[in-house]
Amino acid sequence: MKQSRSYDFLIIGAGIAGLNLAWQLEKMQKSFLILDNTGEHKSSIVAAGMFNPISGKRMTVNWRVNELLASLHQTFTDFKTLLGQDYLIPASIVQSFGNTKESNDFSIQLEKANFSQFVSSTQGEIKGLNQDFGSFEVMGSGWVKTKEWISDFQNYLMEQGKLERCKADWKDIVWQNGTWNWQDLHVNKVVSCEGYQYQENPHFNWLPFKLCKGQVLHIRCADLNKEYILKKGVYLVHQFDDVYKVGATYEWDFEDEKPNEEGKMNLIDKLDKLLTLPYSILSQDSGIRPTTRDRAAILGEHPAIKNLYCFNGLGTKGMLQAPFLAKHLLEAIYNHSEIDAKVDIKRFYSFYSSSQNE
Ligand SMILES: Cc1cc2nc3c(=O)[nH]c(=O)nc-3n(C[C@H](O)[C@H](O)[C@H](O)COP(=O)(O)OP(=O)(O)OC[C@H]3O[C@@H](n4cnc5c(N)ncnc54)[C@H](O)[C@@H]3O)c2cc1C
C-alpha cells in the first residue's frame, strides 16, 4: 500500500510567486510540495525580469522600495550559491523623454529627495538611443534572467521531489480531519500562486483582478551598449549575443493569450521611435499579467476558509516584489505580524461577501 505524505505547505503554481514562496519555505526548513502545469503563455516565462525602483508615467518611487530591493538581491545571492549561476544582472535604465512635458515633469520630481537617490542625468550620448528630448538614468535597476532561473529552480525542486508537473483541480483538494488532503498528501496550509489562472480557482475567483495582456519581441541589433536597459515607450533588455527583448504592450481588453499582428505593429512603432540603429525581428511572445484593480498585490488568508492563502496580483512588477512579499506572508503566518494594508487581501473581503449573496 502506498504511504501517505505529510507536508507543511501545498503551493499551487510555480511562477515568480510560487517559486519565491518555495524558496523562503526552504530557508525556513518547512516542507512543501508545489504543483505546476505547463503553459507557453505564462507571465513569468515571458517577462523581461526587469526591476526598476521608479515606476509609471508619473515617475514615482515604488512602495517600500529599499526593502524590496534588499530582498531581491538577497534571494538571487542565495540562488547563485544554490544553482551556481548569476541570474541577477544589475543594469542602469537609460530612459529617453518622449516630449518636452515628460522632461519638465522629470525636473519637478528631481527635487524630491527619495526620487533623486535613484536617478541622475545621462552622461553623454548613448549609441542607438533616440535622445531628441533628453534622457535620464535610473540606478538600482537591472534584470533577472527569469526564464533560466525558473527552469533551473524548477528542475532543482523536481529532483528533490518537491515539484510535480500537473494541473491541480480544486475539487480534489479537500479539507478533512483538520488537514488539507490531495491524493495521498496531507498538508497544513495551501497557497494559491496561480497568476491569471486564479479564475479557475473557486475559492478566489471573486477577487477583483483586472488582467493585462503583454506582448514582447526578440530582436537582433548590433553595436548597442549591452550594459544598459534602454527605454522610450518600450524597453530593450539585452538577452545574449546581439539579441534583445523589446516590450511590452499593455492590453486591458483582449480576446486570447496568444501573440498577434496588432501587438507586433504596436511594438515596432515604438521601437522605431527609440532605436536609431537597424534591427531584425526574431520572435514574438505573450503572457497575461495578474494585475489587480488597485495595482497592488494580494496577500493573505481566505476570508472564510482557514489555512488557505493567496499570493497573487504581482501585476507588472513580479520580480521586484515577490521575494519580499513571500517573506512578508510567511512572517504573518508564523509570527502573526500584520500584512501591510496596501497588499492585504482583507481590503477585498467585501467582494467575497457580495459574491456569497449573489
Ligand atoms: C510581456 C510581459 C512582460 C513582463 N515584464 C516584466 C518585467 O520586466 N519585470 C517584472 O517584474 N514583471 C514583468 N512582468 C510581470 C510578471 O511576469 C508577473 O508579475 C509575474 O510573472 C506573475 O507571476 P505569478 O507567479 O503570479 O504568475 P504566473 O507567471 O502566471 O505563474 C502562475 C503559475 O501557476 C501555474 N498554475 C496556475 N493554475 C494552476 C493549477 N490549477 N495547477 C497547477 N499549476 C497552476 C501556471 O501554470 C503558472 O506556472 C511581465 C509580464 C508580461 C506579460
Side-chain angles (χ1 to χ4, degrees), residues 63-64 68 207 292 294-301 310-314 321 324-326 328-329 332 338-349:
W63 166 82
R64 296 182 80 154
L68 298 185
L207 283 166
T292 58
D294 61 3
R295 307 288 184 274
I298 305 177
L299 218 61
E301 197 169 23
C310 175
F311 178 16
N312 207 331
L314 292 176
Q321 300 187 91
F324 172 81
L325 291 179
H328 195 56
L329 176 62
E338 288 284 310
I339 293 179
D340 190 310
K342 187 176 168 75
V343 293
D344 196 335
I345 192 172
K346 288 194 184 113
R347 72 194 191 280
F348 293 137
Y349 273 6

PDB file of all heavy atoms in Angstrom, residues 63-64 68 207 292 294-301 310-314 321 324-326 328-329 332 338-349:
ATOM      1  N   TRP A  63       6.633  51.640  -3.699  1.00  0.00           N
ATOM      2  CA  TRP A  63       6.280  51.314  -2.309  1.00  0.00           C
ATOM      3  C   TRP A  63       7.389  50.446  -1.680  1.00  0.00           C
ATOM      4  O   TRP A  63       7.830  49.469  -2.293  1.00  0.00           O
ATOM      5  CB  TRP A  63       4.939  50.575  -2.399  1.00  0.00           C
ATOM      6  CG  TRP A  63       4.465  49.847  -1.199  1.00  0.00           C
ATOM      7  CD1 TRP A  63       3.818  50.390  -0.129  1.00  0.00           C
ATOM      8  CD2 TRP A  63       4.545  48.425  -0.969  1.00  0.00           C
ATOM      9  NE1 TRP A  63       3.497  49.385   0.749  1.00  0.00           N
ATOM     10  CE2 TRP A  63       3.924  48.178   0.260  1.00  0.00           C
ATOM     11  CE3 TRP A  63       5.072  47.350  -1.682  1.00  0.00           C
ATOM     12  CZ2 TRP A  63       3.822  46.897   0.807  1.00  0.00           C
ATOM     13  CZ3 TRP A  63       4.977  46.075  -1.152  1.00  0.00           C
ATOM     14  CH2 TRP A  63       4.365  45.857   0.080  1.00  0.00           C
ATOM     15  N   ARG A  64       7.863  50.791  -0.517  1.00  0.00           N
ATOM     16  CA  ARG A  64       8.843  50.037   0.280  1.00  0.00           C
ATOM     17  C   ARG A  64      10.050  49.580  -0.549  1.00  0.00           C
ATOM     18  O   ARG A  64      10.532  48.447  -0.438  1.00  0.00           O
ATOM     19  CB  ARG A  64       8.152  48.838   0.932  1.00  0.00           C
ATOM     20  CG  ARG A  64       7.075  49.275   1.945  1.00  0.00           C
ATOM     21  CD  ARG A  64       6.403  48.135   2.651  1.00  0.00           C
ATOM     22  NE  ARG A  64       7.213  47.629   3.742  1.00  0.00           N
ATOM     23  CZ  ARG A  64       6.720  46.996   4.821  1.00  0.00           C
ATOM     24  NH1 ARG A  64       5.412  46.831   4.949  1.00  0.00           N
ATOM     25  NH2 ARG A  64       7.498  46.553   5.758  1.00  0.00           N
ATOM     26  N   LEU A  68      12.226  46.048  -0.822  1.00  0.00           N
ATOM     27  CA  LEU A  68      12.013  45.174  -1.992  1.00  0.00           C
ATOM     28  C   LEU A  68      13.350  44.849  -2.647  1.00  0.00           C
ATOM     29  O   LEU A  68      13.642  43.691  -2.967  1.00  0.00           O
ATOM     30  CB  LEU A  68      11.092  45.839  -3.027  1.00  0.00           C
ATOM     31  CG  LEU A  68       9.660  46.191  -2.611  1.00  0.00           C
ATOM     32  CD1 LEU A  68       8.874  46.724  -3.820  1.00  0.00           C
ATOM     33  CD2 LEU A  68       8.914  45.017  -2.038  1.00  0.00           C
ATOM     34  N   LEU A 207     -11.989  37.641  -6.438  1.00  0.00           N
ATOM     35  CA  LEU A 207     -11.034  38.756  -6.283  1.00  0.00           C
ATOM     36  C   LEU A 207     -11.080  39.701  -7.492  1.00  0.00           C
ATOM     37  O   LEU A 207     -11.204  39.239  -8.634  1.00  0.00           O
ATOM     38  CB  LEU A 207      -9.621  38.202  -6.096  1.00  0.00           C
ATOM     39  CG  LEU A 207      -9.321  37.640  -4.704  1.00  0.00           C
ATOM     40  CD1 LEU A 207      -8.051  36.810  -4.712  1.00  0.00           C
ATOM     41  CD2 LEU A 207      -9.234  38.756  -3.662  1.00  0.00           C
ATOM     42  N   THR A 292      -4.199  43.798 -10.562  1.00  0.00           N
ATOM     43  CA  THR A 292      -5.412  43.982  -9.762  1.00  0.00           C
ATOM     44  C   THR A 292      -6.001  45.384  -9.981  1.00  0.00           C
ATOM     45  O   THR A 292      -5.343  46.257 -10.536  1.00  0.00           O
ATOM     46  CB  THR A 292      -5.106  43.818  -8.262  1.00  0.00           C
ATOM     47  OG1 THR A 292      -4.109  44.779  -7.914  1.00  0.00           O
ATOM     48  CG2 THR A 292      -4.590  42.439  -7.956  1.00  0.00           C
ATOM     49  N   ASP A 294      -6.506  47.830  -7.968  1.00  0.00           N
ATOM     50  CA  ASP A 294      -5.750  48.945  -7.376  1.00  0.00           C
ATOM     51  C   ASP A 294      -4.251  48.816  -7.615  1.00  0.00           C
ATOM     52  O   ASP A 294      -3.453  49.502  -6.965  1.00  0.00           O
ATOM     53  CB  ASP A 294      -6.066  49.078  -5.875  1.00  0.00           C
ATOM     54  CG  ASP A 294      -5.696  47.824  -5.077  1.00  0.00           C
ATOM     55  OD1 ASP A 294      -5.153  46.875  -5.677  1.00  0.00           O
ATOM     56  OD2 ASP A 294      -5.952  47.799  -3.868  1.00  0.00           O
ATOM     57  N   ARG A 295      -3.873  47.908  -8.514  1.00  0.00           N
ATOM     58  CA  ARG A 295      -2.465  47.717  -8.932  1.00  0.00           C
ATOM     59  C   ARG A 295      -1.543  47.260  -7.805  1.00  0.00           C
ATOM     60  O   ARG A 295      -0.333  47.411  -7.893  1.00  0.00           O
ATOM     61  CB  ARG A 295      -1.860  49.000  -9.541  1.00  0.00           C
ATOM     62  CG  ARG A 295      -2.663  49.600 -10.669  1.00  0.00           C
ATOM     63  CD  ARG A 295      -2.580  48.760 -11.935  1.00  0.00           C
ATOM     64  NE  ARG A 295      -3.278  49.420 -13.018  1.00  0.00           N
ATOM     65  CZ  ARG A 295      -4.582  49.294 -13.242  1.00  0.00           C
ATOM     66  NH1 ARG A 295      -5.319  48.513 -12.477  1.00  0.00           N
ATOM     67  NH2 ARG A 295      -5.140  49.926 -14.248  1.00  0.00           N
ATOM     68  N   ALA A 296      -2.117  46.721  -6.726  1.00  0.00           N
ATOM     69  CA  ALA A 296      -1.268  46.203  -5.639  1.00  0.00           C
ATOM     70  C   ALA A 296      -1.465  44.691  -5.530  1.00  0.00           C
ATOM     71  O   ALA A 296      -2.508  44.157  -5.938  1.00  0.00           O
ATOM     72  CB  ALA A 296      -1.621  46.889  -4.327  1.00  0.00           C
ATOM     73  N   ALA A 297      -0.461  44.021  -4.984  1.00  0.00           N
ATOM     74  CA  ALA A 297      -0.521  42.559  -4.859  1.00  0.00           C
ATOM     75  C   ALA A 297      -1.587  42.145  -3.840  1.00  0.00           C
ATOM     76  O   ALA A 297      -2.131  42.990  -3.119  1.00  0.00           O
ATOM     77  CB  ALA A 297       0.841  42.044  -4.427  1.00  0.00           C
ATOM     78  N   ILE A 298      -1.892  40.842  -3.826  1.00  0.00           N
ATOM     79  CA  ILE A 298      -2.904  40.326  -2.897  1.00  0.00           C
ATOM     80  C   ILE A 298      -2.282  39.202  -2.076  1.00  0.00           C
ATOM     81  O   ILE A 298      -1.842  38.192  -2.630  1.00  0.00           O
ATOM     82  CB  ILE A 298      -4.143  39.787  -3.656  1.00  0.00           C
ATOM     83  CG1 ILE A 298      -4.719  40.853  -4.587  1.00  0.00           C
ATOM     84  CG2 ILE A 298      -5.194  39.295  -2.675  1.00  0.00           C
ATOM     85  CD1 ILE A 298      -5.893  40.376  -5.426  1.00  0.00           C
ATOM     86  N   LEU A 299      -2.305  39.394  -0.764  1.00  0.00           N
ATOM     87  CA  LEU A 299      -1.587  38.507   0.138  1.00  0.00           C
ATOM     88  C   LEU A 299      -2.459  38.212   1.351  1.00  0.00           C
ATOM     89  O   LEU A 299      -2.958  39.140   1.975  1.00  0.00           O
ATOM     90  CB  LEU A 299      -0.357  39.286   0.623  1.00  0.00           C
ATOM     91  CG  LEU A 299       0.968  38.619   0.829  1.00  0.00           C
ATOM     92  CD1 LEU A 299       1.444  38.034  -0.488  1.00  0.00           C
ATOM     93  CD2 LEU A 299       1.997  39.632   1.322  1.00  0.00           C
ATOM     94  N   GLY A 300      -2.597  36.942   1.679  1.00  0.00           N
ATOM     95  CA  GLY A 300      -3.270  36.646   2.945  1.00  0.00           C
ATOM     96  C   GLY A 300      -4.249  35.497   2.877  1.00  0.00           C
ATOM     97  O   GLY A 300      -4.375  34.805   1.853  1.00  0.00           O
ATOM     98  N   GLU A 301      -4.948  35.342   4.008  1.00  0.00           N
ATOM     99  CA  GLU A 301      -5.822  34.181   4.181  1.00  0.00           C
ATOM    100  C   GLU A 301      -7.217  34.426   3.617  1.00  0.00           C
ATOM    101  O   GLU A 301      -7.727  35.544   3.646  1.00  0.00           O
ATOM    102  CB  GLU A 301      -5.912  33.851   5.683  1.00  0.00           C
ATOM    103  CG  GLU A 301      -6.437  32.461   5.953  1.00  0.00           C
ATOM    104  CD  GLU A 301      -6.257  32.045   7.425  1.00  0.00           C
ATOM    105  OE1 GLU A 301      -6.153  32.949   8.294  1.00  0.00           O
ATOM    106  OE2 GLU A 301      -6.230  30.843   7.706  1.00  0.00           O
ATOM    107  N   CYS A 310      -3.665  33.227  -0.340  1.00  0.00           N
ATOM    108  CA  CYS A 310      -3.485  33.732  -1.692  1.00  0.00           C
ATOM    109  C   CYS A 310      -2.177  34.543  -1.753  1.00  0.00           C
ATOM    110  O   CYS A 310      -1.904  35.358  -0.869  1.00  0.00           O
ATOM    111  CB  CYS A 310      -4.670  34.652  -2.022  1.00  0.00           C
ATOM    112  SG  CYS A 310      -4.535  35.469  -3.608  1.00  0.00           S
ATOM    113  N   PHE A 311      -1.378  34.283  -2.777  1.00  0.00           N
ATOM    114  CA  PHE A 311      -0.185  35.106  -3.048  1.00  0.00           C
ATOM    115  C   PHE A 311      -0.234  35.377  -4.549  1.00  0.00           C
ATOM    116  O   PHE A 311       0.173  34.546  -5.357  1.00  0.00           O
ATOM    117  CB  PHE A 311       1.082  34.351  -2.642  1.00  0.00           C
ATOM    118  CG  PHE A 311       2.376  35.082  -2.932  1.00  0.00           C
ATOM    119  CD1 PHE A 311       2.411  36.443  -3.211  1.00  0.00           C
ATOM    120  CD2 PHE A 311       3.576  34.395  -2.912  1.00  0.00           C
ATOM    121  CE1 PHE A 311       3.599  37.112  -3.473  1.00  0.00           C
ATOM    122  CE2 PHE A 311       4.779  35.048  -3.170  1.00  0.00           C
ATOM    123  CZ  PHE A 311       4.789  36.403  -3.460  1.00  0.00           C
ATOM    124  N   ASN A 312      -0.800  36.524  -4.892  1.00  0.00           N
ATOM    125  CA  ASN A 312      -1.076  36.787  -6.300  1.00  0.00           C
ATOM    126  C   ASN A 312      -1.094  38.302  -6.533  1.00  0.00           C
ATOM    127  O   ASN A 312      -0.736  39.086  -5.659  1.00  0.00           O
ATOM    128  CB  ASN A 312      -2.421  36.142  -6.681  1.00  0.00           C
ATOM    129  CG  ASN A 312      -2.491  35.776  -8.154  1.00  0.00           C
ATOM    130  OD1 ASN A 312      -1.861  36.411  -9.001  1.00  0.00           O
ATOM    131  ND2 ASN A 312      -3.270  34.749  -8.474  1.00  0.00           N
ATOM    132  N   GLY A 313      -1.493  38.704  -7.735  1.00  0.00           N
ATOM    133  CA  GLY A 313      -1.646  40.128  -8.036  1.00  0.00           C
ATOM    134  C   GLY A 313      -0.329  40.861  -8.200  1.00  0.00           C
ATOM    135  O   GLY A 313      -0.258  42.080  -7.980  1.00  0.00           O
ATOM    136  N   LEU A 314       0.712  40.152  -8.610  1.00  0.00           N
ATOM    137  CA  LEU A 314       2.032  40.812  -8.747  1.00  0.00           C
ATOM    138  C   LEU A 314       2.069  41.802  -9.904  1.00  0.00           C
ATOM    139  O   LEU A 314       2.982  42.625  -9.990  1.00  0.00           O
ATOM    140  CB  LEU A 314       3.130  39.759  -8.903  1.00  0.00           C
ATOM    141  CG  LEU A 314       3.393  38.898  -7.658  1.00  0.00           C
ATOM    142  CD1 LEU A 314       4.419  37.822  -7.959  1.00  0.00           C
ATOM    143  CD2 LEU A 314       3.857  39.752  -6.491  1.00  0.00           C
ATOM    144  N   GLN A 321       8.830  42.581  -6.491  1.00  0.00           N
ATOM    145  CA  GLN A 321       8.020  42.422  -5.273  1.00  0.00           C
ATOM    146  C   GLN A 321       8.046  41.039  -4.643  1.00  0.00           C
ATOM    147  O   GLN A 321       7.926  40.907  -3.421  1.00  0.00           O
ATOM    148  CB  GLN A 321       6.554  42.721  -5.605  1.00  0.00           C
ATOM    149  CG  GLN A 321       6.275  44.104  -6.131  1.00  0.00           C
ATOM    150  CD  GLN A 321       4.779  44.317  -6.256  1.00  0.00           C
ATOM    151  OE1 GLN A 321       4.156  44.796  -5.325  1.00  0.00           O
ATOM    152  NE2 GLN A 321       4.207  43.932  -7.383  1.00  0.00           N
ATOM    153  N   PHE A 324      10.286  39.830  -1.405  1.00  0.00           N
ATOM    154  CA  PHE A 324       9.873  40.498  -0.166  1.00  0.00           C
ATOM    155  C   PHE A 324       8.491  40.000   0.280  1.00  0.00           C
ATOM    156  O   PHE A 324       8.270  39.687   1.450  1.00  0.00           O
ATOM    157  CB  PHE A 324       9.838  42.024  -0.373  1.00  0.00           C
ATOM    158  CG  PHE A 324       9.251  42.776   0.787  1.00  0.00           C
ATOM    159  CD1 PHE A 324      10.017  43.050   1.910  1.00  0.00           C
ATOM    160  CD2 PHE A 324       7.922  43.193   0.764  1.00  0.00           C
ATOM    161  CE1 PHE A 324       9.475  43.733   2.996  1.00  0.00           C
ATOM    162  CE2 PHE A 324       7.368  43.870   1.843  1.00  0.00           C
ATOM    163  CZ  PHE A 324       8.144  44.144   2.958  1.00  0.00           C
ATOM    164  N   LEU A 325       7.552  39.920  -0.673  1.00  0.00           N
ATOM    165  CA  LEU A 325       6.183  39.561  -0.308  1.00  0.00           C
ATOM    166  C   LEU A 325       6.074  38.114   0.169  1.00  0.00           C
ATOM    167  O   LEU A 325       5.270  37.802   1.053  1.00  0.00           O
ATOM    168  CB  LEU A 325       5.232  39.809  -1.481  1.00  0.00           C
ATOM    169  CG  LEU A 325       4.994  41.285  -1.832  1.00  0.00           C
ATOM    170  CD1 LEU A 325       4.047  41.409  -3.023  1.00  0.00           C
ATOM    171  CD2 LEU A 325       4.435  42.058  -0.633  1.00  0.00           C
ATOM    172  N   ALA A 326       6.888  37.229  -0.407  1.00  0.00           N
ATOM    173  CA  ALA A 326       6.856  35.821   0.028  1.00  0.00           C
ATOM    174  C   ALA A 326       7.239  35.751   1.509  1.00  0.00           C
ATOM    175  O   ALA A 326       6.592  35.068   2.310  1.00  0.00           O
ATOM    176  CB  ALA A 326       7.817  34.994  -0.822  1.00  0.00           C
ATOM    177  N   HIS A 328       7.124  38.255   3.648  1.00  0.00           N
ATOM    178  CA  HIS A 328       6.107  39.025   4.387  1.00  0.00           C
ATOM    179  C   HIS A 328       4.911  38.127   4.734  1.00  0.00           C
ATOM    180  O   HIS A 328       4.394  38.161   5.848  1.00  0.00           O
ATOM    181  CB  HIS A 328       5.677  40.191   3.480  1.00  0.00           C
ATOM    182  CG  HIS A 328       4.926  41.278   4.160  1.00  0.00           C
ATOM    183  ND1 HIS A 328       5.411  41.961   5.250  1.00  0.00           N
ATOM    184  CD2 HIS A 328       3.699  41.827   3.894  1.00  0.00           C
ATOM    185  CE1 HIS A 328       4.528  42.871   5.627  1.00  0.00           C
ATOM    186  NE2 HIS A 328       3.480  42.803   4.816  1.00  0.00           N
ATOM    187  N   LEU A 329       4.480  37.309   3.786  1.00  0.00           N
ATOM    188  CA  LEU A 329       3.345  36.406   4.020  1.00  0.00           C
ATOM    189  C   LEU A 329       3.705  35.368   5.088  1.00  0.00           C
ATOM    190  O   LEU A 329       2.914  35.089   5.999  1.00  0.00           O
ATOM    191  CB  LEU A 329       2.950  35.701   2.711  1.00  0.00           C
ATOM    192  CG  LEU A 329       1.836  34.659   2.824  1.00  0.00           C
ATOM    193  CD1 LEU A 329       0.526  35.273   3.300  1.00  0.00           C
ATOM    194  CD2 LEU A 329       1.597  33.941   1.490  1.00  0.00           C
ATOM    195  N   ALA A 332       3.706  36.737   8.502  1.00  0.00           N
ATOM    196  CA  ALA A 332       2.334  36.897   9.013  1.00  0.00           C
ATOM    197  C   ALA A 332       1.800  35.551   9.499  1.00  0.00           C
ATOM    198  O   ALA A 332       1.134  35.471  10.536  1.00  0.00           O
ATOM    199  CB  ALA A 332       1.440  37.469   7.920  1.00  0.00           C
ATOM    200  N   GLU A 338       1.457  41.822  11.135  1.00  0.00           N
ATOM    201  CA  GLU A 338       0.421  42.400  10.268  1.00  0.00           C
ATOM    202  C   GLU A 338       0.888  42.398   8.814  1.00  0.00           C
ATOM    203  O   GLU A 338       2.049  42.728   8.534  1.00  0.00           O
ATOM    204  CB  GLU A 338       0.173  43.863  10.657  1.00  0.00           C
ATOM    205  CG  GLU A 338      -0.548  44.074  11.961  1.00  0.00           C
ATOM    206  CD  GLU A 338      -2.031  43.803  11.846  1.00  0.00           C
ATOM    207  OE1 GLU A 338      -2.662  44.339  10.915  1.00  0.00           O
ATOM    208  OE2 GLU A 338      -2.558  43.049  12.699  1.00  0.00           O
ATOM    209  N   ILE A 339      -0.003  42.059   7.897  1.00  0.00           N
ATOM    210  CA  ILE A 339       0.313  42.230   6.482  1.00  0.00           C
ATOM    211  C   ILE A 339       0.078  43.700   6.146  1.00  0.00           C
ATOM    212  O   ILE A 339      -0.924  44.295   6.578  1.00  0.00           O
ATOM    213  CB  ILE A 339      -0.578  41.319   5.609  1.00  0.00           C
ATOM    214  CG1 ILE A 339      -0.220  39.850   5.874  1.00  0.00           C
ATOM    215  CG2 ILE A 339      -0.451  41.656   4.122  1.00  0.00           C
ATOM    216  CD1 ILE A 339      -1.024  38.846   5.106  1.00  0.00           C
ATOM    217  N   ASP A 340       0.997  44.310   5.423  1.00  0.00           N
ATOM    218  CA  ASP A 340       0.855  45.715   5.034  1.00  0.00           C
ATOM    219  C   ASP A 340      -0.512  45.910   4.357  1.00  0.00           C
ATOM    220  O   ASP A 340      -0.876  45.158   3.431  1.00  0.00           O
ATOM    221  CB  ASP A 340       1.998  46.082   4.064  1.00  0.00           C
ATOM    222  CG  ASP A 340       2.083  47.572   3.804  1.00  0.00           C
ATOM    223  OD1 ASP A 340       1.040  48.179   3.478  1.00  0.00           O
ATOM    224  OD2 ASP A 340       3.188  48.119   3.908  1.00  0.00           O
ATOM    225  N   ALA A 341      -1.259  46.929   4.830  1.00  0.00           N
ATOM    226  CA  ALA A 341      -2.628  47.149   4.336  1.00  0.00           C
ATOM    227  C   ALA A 341      -2.690  47.280   2.815  1.00  0.00           C
ATOM    228  O   ALA A 341      -3.678  46.912   2.183  1.00  0.00           O
ATOM    229  CB  ALA A 341      -3.203  48.401   4.982  1.00  0.00           C
ATOM    230  N   LYS A 342      -1.624  47.789   2.218  1.00  0.00           N
ATOM    231  CA  LYS A 342      -1.629  48.009   0.761  1.00  0.00           C
ATOM    232  C   LYS A 342      -1.795  46.694  -0.009  1.00  0.00           C
ATOM    233  O   LYS A 342      -2.393  46.659  -1.079  1.00  0.00           O
ATOM    234  CB  LYS A 342      -0.322  48.693   0.347  1.00  0.00           C
ATOM    235  CG  LYS A 342      -0.306  49.102  -1.113  1.00  0.00           C
ATOM    236  CD  LYS A 342       0.958  49.859  -1.464  1.00  0.00           C
ATOM    237  CE  LYS A 342       1.129  50.005  -2.947  1.00  0.00           C
ATOM    238  NZ  LYS A 342       0.242  50.996  -3.535  1.00  0.00           N
ATOM    239  N   VAL A 343      -1.253  45.603   0.551  1.00  0.00           N
ATOM    240  CA  VAL A 343      -1.292  44.326  -0.179  1.00  0.00           C
ATOM    241  C   VAL A 343      -2.161  43.279   0.524  1.00  0.00           C
ATOM    242  O   VAL A 343      -2.305  42.165   0.033  1.00  0.00           O
ATOM    243  CB  VAL A 343       0.147  43.763  -0.364  1.00  0.00           C
ATOM    244  CG1 VAL A 343       0.975  44.634  -1.286  1.00  0.00           C
ATOM    245  CG2 VAL A 343       0.872  43.585   0.973  1.00  0.00           C
ATOM    246  N   ASP A 344      -2.760  43.659   1.646  1.00  0.00           N
ATOM    247  CA  ASP A 344      -3.533  42.693   2.437  1.00  0.00           C
ATOM    248  C   ASP A 344      -4.828  42.312   1.711  1.00  0.00           C
ATOM    249  O   ASP A 344      -5.593  43.192   1.286  1.00  0.00           O
ATOM    250  CB  ASP A 344      -3.868  43.335   3.808  1.00  0.00           C
ATOM    251  CG  ASP A 344      -4.320  42.305   4.824  1.00  0.00           C
ATOM    252  OD1 ASP A 344      -4.822  41.237   4.413  1.00  0.00           O
ATOM    253  OD2 ASP A 344      -4.168  42.585   6.029  1.00  0.00           O
ATOM    254  N   ILE A 345      -5.095  41.020   1.630  1.00  0.00           N
ATOM    255  CA  ILE A 345      -6.314  40.536   0.970  1.00  0.00           C
ATOM    256  C   ILE A 345      -7.571  41.085   1.667  1.00  0.00           C
ATOM    257  O   ILE A 345      -8.629  41.196   1.042  1.00  0.00           O
ATOM    258  CB  ILE A 345      -6.343  38.990   0.945  1.00  0.00           C
ATOM    259  CG1 ILE A 345      -7.445  38.473   0.023  1.00  0.00           C
ATOM    260  CG2 ILE A 345      -6.462  38.410   2.348  1.00  0.00           C
ATOM    261  CD1 ILE A 345      -7.425  36.985  -0.220  1.00  0.00           C
ATOM    262  N   LYS A 346      -7.418  41.479   2.935  1.00  0.00           N
ATOM    263  CA  LYS A 346      -8.593  41.956   3.692  1.00  0.00           C
ATOM    264  C   LYS A 346      -9.253  43.151   3.025  1.00  0.00           C
ATOM    265  O   LYS A 346     -10.449  43.379   3.195  1.00  0.00           O
ATOM    266  CB  LYS A 346      -8.181  42.345   5.113  1.00  0.00           C
ATOM    267  CG  LYS A 346      -7.859  41.146   5.978  1.00  0.00           C
ATOM    268  CD  LYS A 346      -7.797  41.556   7.436  1.00  0.00           C
ATOM    269  CE  LYS A 346      -7.376  40.365   8.291  1.00  0.00           C
ATOM    270  NZ  LYS A 346      -6.082  40.511   8.905  1.00  0.00           N
ATOM    271  N   ARG A 347      -8.472  43.925   2.257  1.00  0.00           N
ATOM    272  CA  ARG A 347      -9.078  45.105   1.620  1.00  0.00           C
ATOM    273  C   ARG A 347     -10.148  44.696   0.610  1.00  0.00           C
ATOM    274  O   ARG A 347     -10.960  45.524   0.198  1.00  0.00           O
ATOM    275  CB  ARG A 347      -8.009  45.985   0.950  1.00  0.00           C
ATOM    276  CG  ARG A 347      -7.384  45.416  -0.337  1.00  0.00           C
ATOM    277  CD  ARG A 347      -6.140  46.206  -0.696  1.00  0.00           C
ATOM    278  NE  ARG A 347      -5.591  45.938  -2.027  1.00  0.00           N
ATOM    279  CZ  ARG A 347      -4.829  44.894  -2.342  1.00  0.00           C
ATOM    280  NH1 ARG A 347      -4.561  43.969  -1.430  1.00  0.00           N
ATOM    281  NH2 ARG A 347      -4.357  44.749  -3.568  1.00  0.00           N
ATOM    282  N   PHE A 348     -10.141  43.411   0.221  1.00  0.00           N
ATOM    283  CA  PHE A 348     -11.134  42.942  -0.756  1.00  0.00           C
ATOM    284  C   PHE A 348     -12.172  41.986  -0.160  1.00  0.00           C
ATOM    285  O   PHE A 348     -12.945  41.392  -0.897  1.00  0.00           O
ATOM    286  CB  PHE A 348     -10.422  42.237  -1.928  1.00  0.00           C
ATOM    287  CG  PHE A 348      -9.572  43.143  -2.774  1.00  0.00           C
ATOM    288  CD1 PHE A 348      -8.308  42.735  -3.188  1.00  0.00           C
ATOM    289  CD2 PHE A 348     -10.031  44.387  -3.184  1.00  0.00           C
ATOM    290  CE1 PHE A 348      -7.513  43.569  -3.974  1.00  0.00           C
ATOM    291  CE2 PHE A 348      -9.241  45.224  -3.968  1.00  0.00           C
ATOM    292  CZ  PHE A 348      -7.974  44.810  -4.359  1.00  0.00           C
ATOM    293  N   TYR A 349     -12.178  41.838   1.163  1.00  0.00           N
ATOM    294  CA  TYR A 349     -13.116  40.883   1.779  1.00  0.00           C
ATOM    295  C   TYR A 349     -14.575  41.201   1.419  1.00  0.00           C
ATOM    296  O   TYR A 349     -15.398  40.301   1.337  1.00  0.00           O
ATOM    297  CB  TYR A 349     -12.952  40.887   3.305  1.00  0.00           C
ATOM    298  CG  TYR A 349     -11.879  39.944   3.828  1.00  0.00           C
ATOM    299  CD1 TYR A 349     -11.036  39.251   2.967  1.00  0.00           C
ATOM    300  CD2 TYR A 349     -11.720  39.738   5.206  1.00  0.00           C
ATOM    301  CE1 TYR A 349     -10.055  38.400   3.457  1.00  0.00           C
ATOM    302  CE2 TYR A 349     -10.740  38.878   5.702  1.00  0.00           C
ATOM    303  CZ  TYR A 349      -9.906  38.217   4.830  1.00  0.00           C
ATOM    304  OH  TYR A 349      -8.948  37.371   5.324  1.00  0.00           O
TER     305      TYR A 349
END
